[in-house]
């Protein structure tokens, strides 16, 4: 008698099974009598090692293990946007409906609504030649996103039977004829999450992702299709930055993968996101957002899978020609899941107990970002931005180090800035963007001519401030030449009136590039004006309470549409400033 697949041993989220039918790496299996979802992650002689995406307590040796013979895949079709999924694309709200807050195990719910009808409009004609990835029609998925329906991979030929109408995602919408064979197409396709979706060509990034966050857009921009890491200690503002980018960045679609430390952090996402308004459209942000949420009380294996689920969905929309911003908060929690599973497998541990392949896994994830030409020749991009939470804020640990090795932007969050309530607490001396050169062209064409000069000038002042402060430590402020006092004066203004930006102020929360330009220009003009009058013998002490300064401090709270007029007022105030004489009163 043929033996049936069954459990041999259980170790937390890892199950060892034997005699599973036709086992292949990454096959999805149903484990135990209640059919928990698991994935084969190792084949070791007769032992088949499975990571299970649900709580394994109560599983016993001898219970059945069945192979589904498919890889861990996501369902791709209209209805993704606005959804809230867990790490293996189960709709959290539907699961909770069925089982209450405590998610039952072995629950079988479809990722997407199979009954809902979508109005499909063909974009090509019957008889047209199509290939994998070709766009054949579209659906209004939400009021802001048109879902392009694409031919699944592996199909090509002549299309037939296309007709406008209302269809569920599994209804036939057309057939593809090839060599006398006919294959039917629906709006639904599957894709294995661990495999990048193919592209024709990858470009070097040339366009910045405009975020409206001054320190990012001005000094440390990330390119569309680029990668960025946000390491920061506890409470330094990682989540707020990710939320700001979700709300304000000029990407078409947001995929937000939340790997929370604490359950309540996730609950916060689940409650705050659906309430967020989209700045561009005035509609709910969820109309262009997909949320993937894991809490610490969800099984670790699902957390491990979540970033793949997220990036696969992002690639799918990229293939329609959209730009996607994918946020992962925090990838440290993901890496810890990897470590836990590796430990259960009794693999040789690398640094700090993380598996030796941590670096490769991190790199593989970020390599899926990019600005690309896809199979249907659309240009789309996935920008990947990962928060990292190094224990104690020390970025010499393996997750930070492996992330920094592959990401090209580093926003270094700083506990001491956060403690001083300087937000965003991005340290301007340690952070960097390796896209700066590649984006220069864009900035030159799309902002003012003198932009890079202003930007570099401002950064130079910040660096000088740092050096001068070291001197101050030795000799005291009073011993400084007036010229250096003036540098400190302007650097302080750059820090407080430009870099500091409140996420919670209705106006300050977003600055367009135009506003950033006028603000930076005002500050640098003031620097020039001050330098000029110092030459007359005016001292910095006389410059503390000028009208120009007051106006510049208030500039961030000036509405976008008034910024041009406001700049004129600043020019007037600067003209007045120049009238200060050495004999003027302080
Ligand atoms: N740009 C900002 N503007 C105003 N306040 C901010 C800003 N960024 C962070 N904060 C403040 O800092 C607090 C902590 O931020 P946040 O929750 O993002 O930190 P975190 O790094 O994600 O922390 P954790 O390590 O706990 O996940 C926020 O609640 C907020 O009060
Ligand atoms: Mg956080």
């Amino acid at each position: 008698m043929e033996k049936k697949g069954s459990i041999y041993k259980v170790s937390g989220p890892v199950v060892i099974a034997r005699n599973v039918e036709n086992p292949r790496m990454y096959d999805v299996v149903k484990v135990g009598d209640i059919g928990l979802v698991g994935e084969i992650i190792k084949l070791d002689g007769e032992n088949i090692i499975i990571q299970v995406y649900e709580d394994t307590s109560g599983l016993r040796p001898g219970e059945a293990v069945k192979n589904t013979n498919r890889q861990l895949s996501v369902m791709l079709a209209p209805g993704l946007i606005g959804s809230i999924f867990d790490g293996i694309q189960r709709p959290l709200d539907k699961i909770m409906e069925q089982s209450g807050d405590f998610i039952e195990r072995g629950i079988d719910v479809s990722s997407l609504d199979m009954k809902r009808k979508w109005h499909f409009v063909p974009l090509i004609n019957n008889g047209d030649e199509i290939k994998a990835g070709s766009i054949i029609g579209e659906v209004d998925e939400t009021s802001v996103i048109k879902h392009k329906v694409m031919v699944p991979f592996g199909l090509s030929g002549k299309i037939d039977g296309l007709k406008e109408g209302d269809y569920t995602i599994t209804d036939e919408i057309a057939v593809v004829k090839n060599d006398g064979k006919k294959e039917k197409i629906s709006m639904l396709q599957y894709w294995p999450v661990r495999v990048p979706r193919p592209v024709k060509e990858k470009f070097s990034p040339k366009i910045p992702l405009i975020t409206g966050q001054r320190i990012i857009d001005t000094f440390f921009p990330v390119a569309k299709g680029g990668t960025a890491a946000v390491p920061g200690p506890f409470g330094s503002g990682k989540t707020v930055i990710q939320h700001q980018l979700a709300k304000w960045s000029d990407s078409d679609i947001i995929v937000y993968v939340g790997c929370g430390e604490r359950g309540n952090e996730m609950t916060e996402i689940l409650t705050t996101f659906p309430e967020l308004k989209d700045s561009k459209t005035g509609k709910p942000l969820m109309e262009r957002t997909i949320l993937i949420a894991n809490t610490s009380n969800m099984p670790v294996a699902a957390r491990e899978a979540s970033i793949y689920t997220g990036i696969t969905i992002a690639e799918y929309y990229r293939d329609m020609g959209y730009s996607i911003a994918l946020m992962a908060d925090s990838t440290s929690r993901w890496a810890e899941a990897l470590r836990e599973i590796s430990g259960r497998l009794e693999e040789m541990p690398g640094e700090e107990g993380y598996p030796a392949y941590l670096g490769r896994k991190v790199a593989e994830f970020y390599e899926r970002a990019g600005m690309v030409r896809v199979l249907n020749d659309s240009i789309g991009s996935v920008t990947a931005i990962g928060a990292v939470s190094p224990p104690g804020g020390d970025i010499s640990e393996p997750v930070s180090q492996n992330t920094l090795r592959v990401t090209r932007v580093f926003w270094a969050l700083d506990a001491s800035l956060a403690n001083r309530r300087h937000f965003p607490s991005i340290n301007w001396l340690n952070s960097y963007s390796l896209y700066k050169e590649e984006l220069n062209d864009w900035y030159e064409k799309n902002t003012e001519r003198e932009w890079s000069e202003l930007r570099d000038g401002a950064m130079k002042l910040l660096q000088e401030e740092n050096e001068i402060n070291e001197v101050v430590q030795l000799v005291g402020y009073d011993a400084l030449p007036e010229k250096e006092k003036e540098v400190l004066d302007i650097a302080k203004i750059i820090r407080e009136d430009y870099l500091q930006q409140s996420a919670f102020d209705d106006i300050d929360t977003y600055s367009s590039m135009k506003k950033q330009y006028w603000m930076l220009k005002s500050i640098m003009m003031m620097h020039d004006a001050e330098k000029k009058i110092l030459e007359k013998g005016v001292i910095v002490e006389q410059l503390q309470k000028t009208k120009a300064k007051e106006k510049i401090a208030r500039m961030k709270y000036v509405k976008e549409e008034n910024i041009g007029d406001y700049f004129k007022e600043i020019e007037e105030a600067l003209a007045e400033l120049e009238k200060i004489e050495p004999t003027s009163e302080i």
Side-chain angles (χ1 to χ4, degrees):
M1 194 185 80
E2 201 187 319
K3 282 199 216 144
K4 286 227 176 87
S6 65
I7 298 176
Y8 172 67
K9 202 173 144 189
V10 181
S11 164
V14 173
V15 164
I16 301 176
R18 287 183 174 171
N19 303 315
V20 175
E21 215 181 317
N22 190 24
R24 285 168 312 175
M25 278 298 278
Y26 305 126
D27 275 351
V28 170
V29 290
K30 294 280 185 160
V31 179
D33 299 337
I34 49 174
L36 303 183
V37 181
E39 180 186 14
I40 297 177
I41 54 170
K42 196 169 163 186
L43 298 167
D44 183 11
E46 62 176 339
N47 290 336
I48 292 146
I49 293 136
I50 298 162
Q51 64 175 353
V52 179
Y53 291 116
E54 299 177 80
D55 181 5
T56 55
S57 49
L59 281 188
R60 289 160 197 265
E63 285 186 42
V65 176
K66 289 193 199 92
N67 196 351
T68 64
N69 291 308
R70 61 173 184 85
Q71 300 205 328
L72 186 66
S73 302
V74 280
M75 281 176 97
L76 300 169
L80 287 164
I81 296 203
S83 292
I84 304 177
F85 297 117
D86 76 354
I88 52 169
Q89 208 200 8
R90 298 182 309 171
L92 273 181
D93 43 347
K94 302 271 162 39
I95 299 179
M96 285 183 174
E97 248 167 52
Q98 271 198 28
S99 68
D101 278 356
F102 277 91
I103 295 171
E104 255 171 59
R105 298 177 300 160
I107 215 165
D108 214 359
V109 280
S110 167
S111 302
L112 297 172
D113 190 337
M114 308 300 268
K115 294 202 189 97
R116 175 163 177 187
K117 291 205 165 177
W118 300 90
H119 190 74
F120 171 79
V121 181
L123 291 174
I124 60 170
N125 298 315
N126 286 318
D128 284 353
E129 288 285 342
I130 51 93
K131 311 190 286 280
S134 299
I135 293 169
I136 58 174
E138 63 186 16
V139 156
D140 283 328
E141 183 167 4
T142 66
S143 66
V144 292
I145 297 294
K146 281 199 189 301
H147 190 113
K148 312 279 179 192
V149 177
M150 296 174 287
V151 175
F153 288 84
L155 286 184
S156 63
K158 269 198 168 62
I159 194 122
D160 198 18
L162 265 183
K163 206 170 91 200
E164 181 171 344
D166 296 316
Y167 303 96
T168 69
I169 59 177
T170 49
D171 283 343
E172 176 179 320
I173 50 167
V175 290
V176 179
K177 291 182 184 163
N178 196 348
D179 263 357
K181 274 193 302 207
K182 260 199 212 173
E183 294 257 13
K184 68 174 236 193
I185 308 186
S186 69
M187 288 191 270
L188 172 66
Q189 46 179 290
Y190 289 88
W191 190 264
V193 297
R194 298 192 192 277
V195 182
R197 286 170 65 86
V199 300
K200 265 191 185 161
E201 187 182 355
K202 207 163 176 167
F203 305 110
S204 73
K206 293 217 159 51
I207 304 169
L209 182 77
I210 296 298
T211 66
Q213 311 304 302
R214 292 186 292 269
I215 184 161
I216 295 177
D217 295 341
T218 303
F219 294 115
F220 309 111
V222 60
K224 278 193 177 147
T227 51
V230 202
F234 176 71
S236 57
K238 299 179 290 293
T239 302
V240 172
I241 287 192
Q242 301 264 39
H243 282 200
Q244 285 297 89
L245 298 192
K247 273 190 253 180
W248 297 107
S249 72
D250 64 343
S251 51
D252 300 315
I253 291 166
I254 307 293
V255 178
Y256 195 98
V257 183
C259 299
E261 275 161 282
R262 293 160 268 125
N264 59 2
E265 202 169 68
M266 269 344 282
T267 321
E268 202 186 297
I269 293 183
L270 298 186
T271 51
T272 52
F273 260 87
E275 284 170 8
L276 295 180
K277 277 263 178 318
D278 185 351
S279 55
K280 284 203 272 191
T281 60
K283 304 239 167 66
L285 190 62
M286 286 306 285
E287 296 214 358
R288 55 185 190 91
T289 302
I290 296 149
L291 278 184
I292 294 168
N294 301 272
T295 59
S296 49
N297 55 9
M298 289 184 193
V300 287
R303 203 192 308 158
E304 193 274 328
S306 62
I307 68 167
Y308 301 102
T309 299
I311 202 142
T312 307
I313 292 174
E315 286 173 342
Y316 175 63
Y317 282 94
R318 170 205 69 193
D319 290 351
M320 301 176 199
Y322 289 118
S323 68
I324 324 298
L326 178 133
M327 292 354 133
D329 181 20
S330 144
T331 58
S332 296
R333 306 284 90 82
W334 164 79
E336 281 158 19
L338 209 61
R339 173 166 69 182
E340 179 168 343
I341 293 156
S342 168
R344 301 277 183 182
L345 296 177
E346 293 170 12
E347 289 171 340
M348 179 93 82
E351 257 181 292
E352 292 187 22
Y354 288 103
Y357 47 80
L358 172 69
R360 177 170 57 79
K361 289 265 187 181
V362 170
E364 277 171 3
F365 168 69
Y366 285 104
E367 273 159 17
R368 291 175 73 168
M371 164 81 73
V372 298
R373 183 193 305 282
V374 299
L375 301 190
N376 59 39
D377 288 314
S378 305
I379 309 281
S381 66
V382 175
T383 310
I385 299 159
V388 186
S389 350
D394 176 6
I395 61 161
S396 65
E397 56 87 43
V399 184
S400 304
Q401 286 302 309
N402 281 301
T403 305
L404 293 179
R405 208 163 287 149
V406 290
T407 53
R408 297 190 60 204
V409 176
F410 172 41
W411 296 322
L413 300 192
D414 191 317
S416 68
L417 289 175
N419 291 338
R420 296 195 326 247
R421 311 282 311 155
H422 174 118
F423 289 118
S425 69
I426 298 176
N427 183 312
W428 52 93
L429 298 172
N430 304 345
S431 301
Y432 58 80
S433 164
L434 299 180
Y435 295 111
K436 233 175 181 165
E437 301 297 313
E438 284 157 287
L439 299 178
N440 264 345
D441 258 2
W442 186 94
Y443 279 105
E444 215 153 84
K445 287 199 190 93
N446 294 278
T447 57
E448 304 294 323
R449 267 263 158 84
E450 53 189 335
W451 172 252
S452 52
E453 201 181 303
L454 291 172
R455 177 195 67 193
D456 297 346
M459 181 47 79
K460 193 158 155 265
L461 286 171
L462 289 167
Q463 287 161 346
E464 278 174 24
E465 176 191 43
N466 189 46
E467 287 157 21
I468 296 172
N469 274 336
E470 281 173 23
V471 177
V472 170
Q473 302 267 322
L474 296 174
V475 302
Y477 175 82
D478 291 339
L480 290 179
E482 291 301 309
K483 221 174 124 198
E484 298 195 343
K485 285 184 187 167
E486 198 273 333
V487 170
L488 294 188
D489 194 48
I490 297 288
K492 180 162 177 268
I493 288 169
I494 298 174
R495 283 189 283 109
E496 293 180 355
D497 302 333
Y498 194 76
L499 298 185
Q500 284 191 22
Q501 186 173 3
S502 170
F504 306 116
D505 180 87
D506 283 345
I507 296 172
D508 195 26
T509 185
Y510 177 87
S511 287
S512 67
M513 284 314 297
K514 189 179 107 194
K515 183 167 171 184
Q516 296 187 39
Y517 165 73
W518 288 121
M519 287 179 75
L520 204 55
K521 185 168 171 73
S522 303
I523 296 172
M524 297 309 279
M525 277 172 63
M526 184 159 77
H527 178 45
D528 289 339
E530 288 191 352
K531 274 194 301 194
K532 225 189 213 165
I533 54 173
L534 287 190
E535 277 167 20
K536 292 195 291 195
V538 169
I539 59 171
V540 171
E541 211 183 338
Q542 288 175 283
L543 305 175
Q544 290 316 306
K545 289 205 179 86
T546 58
K547 197 165 163 208
K549 234 175 221 167
E550 224 174 85
K551 286 223 165 275
I552 284 175
R554 265 187 293 160
M555 202 165 187
K556 56 168 111 176
Y557 304 113
V558 174
K559 286 196 178 132
E560 292 282 339
E561 60 265 31
N562 301 335
I563 204 77
D565 288 341
Y566 195 81
F567 177 73
K568 291 202 187 92
E569 292 176 29
I570 286 182
E571 276 183 317
E572 284 162 23
L574 287 174
E576 247 174 74
L577 179 79
E578 294 195 12
K579 290 187 198 141
I580 300 182
E581 294 294 331
T583 50
S584 304
E585 264 182 62
I586 290 176

